[in-house]
Amino acid sequence: GAIQSGTTRKIVIPAGAPACYFVELSCPRTYTIKSVSAMAGGILSTEQSPLTLNGGGESSFYFYILPDARSFEITGRDGGPSETARIDILDAAGKVVFTRDGNWNGTWYTVPVLPGADNTIWQIKVRPVEDIKVQVRGGISPCMSISKQSVLKR
């Protein structure tokens, strides 16, 4: 169905049985997901399907570091010279392990995963001035979740 601009709507999608379900939101403008039930779920952040954030402000997501991962990579594409973004990545202990503030032009940056920090849930904080598309690859699940409880681990 359609949701009118400037309104809030609760979307309930009943699941008939345990399985993997796919929900696609197609929005010409900014949207915000405020909560997700306890089930696991995420928003893709891949080379083929980047995590797209519009309108500025801070967004925070959680993701899973795969077992035996020693690093992963991140890149972004901003909306132009005046649309910089700050990205902070925090490990499972809440320590900032990567920070970059500036324009994002598609350059890939390596984020190291120290021994023992794999197989855990990390956090990414994105603060774009306006718009950014974020992509990840390597030793990371590409599904970004809005809560630790809903992180997909594979």
Side-chain angles (χ1 to χ4, degrees), residues 49-71:
S49 182
L51 171 65
T52 302
L53 302 173
N54 298 309
E58 180 177 315
S59 296
S60 182
F61 299 93
Y62 296 87
F63 59 91
Y64 178 67
I65 299 293
L66 299 174
D68 301 318
R70 291 298 158 243
S71 67

Side-chain angles (χ1 to χ4, degrees), residues 1 29 32 36 41 54-55 68 71 75 77-78 93 99-100 112 114 119 136 139 148 151-152:
R29 298 183 194 222
T32 303
V36 174
N54 298 309
D68 301 318
S71 67
T75 190
R77 289 223 177 256
D78 57 40
T99 297
R100 184 166 189 288
L114 296 177
N119 199 29
V136 295
K148 283 185 179 181
V151 170
L152 290 169

Side-chain angles (χ1 to χ4, degrees), residues 7-125:
T7 62
T8 299
R9 184 170 216 189
K10 180 178 182 178
I11 300 172
V12 178
I13 303 168
C20 182
Y21 294 91
F22 178 76
V23 176
E24 181 177 354
L25 297 175
S26 178
C27 305
R29 298 183 194 222
T30 304
Y31 66 91
T32 303
I33 300 172
K34 294 192 176 186
S35 67
V36 174
S37 69
M39 70 178 195
I43 302 167
L44 284 179
S45 177
T46 65
E47 292 178 74
Q48 297 77 26
S49 182
L51 171 65
T52 302
L53 302 173
N54 298 309
E58 180 177 315
S59 296
S60 182
F61 299 93
Y62 296 87
F63 59 91
Y64 178 67
I65 299 293
L66 299 174
D68 301 318
R70 291 298 158 243
S71 67
F72 64 91
E73 292 179 294
I74 184 167
T75 190
R77 289 223 177 256
D78 57 40
S82 65
E83 296 187 15
T84 60
R86 177 184 173 124
I87 294 181
D88 295 317
I89 297 177
L90 294 75
D91 66 13
K95 178 183 173 192
V96 176
V97 295
F98 175 87
T99 297
R100 184 166 189 288
D101 193 356
N103 284 108
W104 293 80
N105 62 4
T107 299
W108 287 93
Y109 297 92
T110 299
V111 180
V113 176
L114 296 177
D118 61 318
N119 199 29
T120 58
I121 296 172
W122 289 22
Q123 182 179 18
I124 182 170
K125 294 181 180 181

Side-chain angles (χ1 to χ4, degrees), residues 116-135:
D118 61 318
N119 199 29
T120 58
I121 296 172
W122 289 22
Q123 182 179 18
I124 182 170
K125 294 181 180 181
V126 185
R127 297 175 193 92
V129 168
E130 189 61 37
D131 305 330
I132 189 166
K133 293 182 179 190
V134 178
Q135 302 161 290

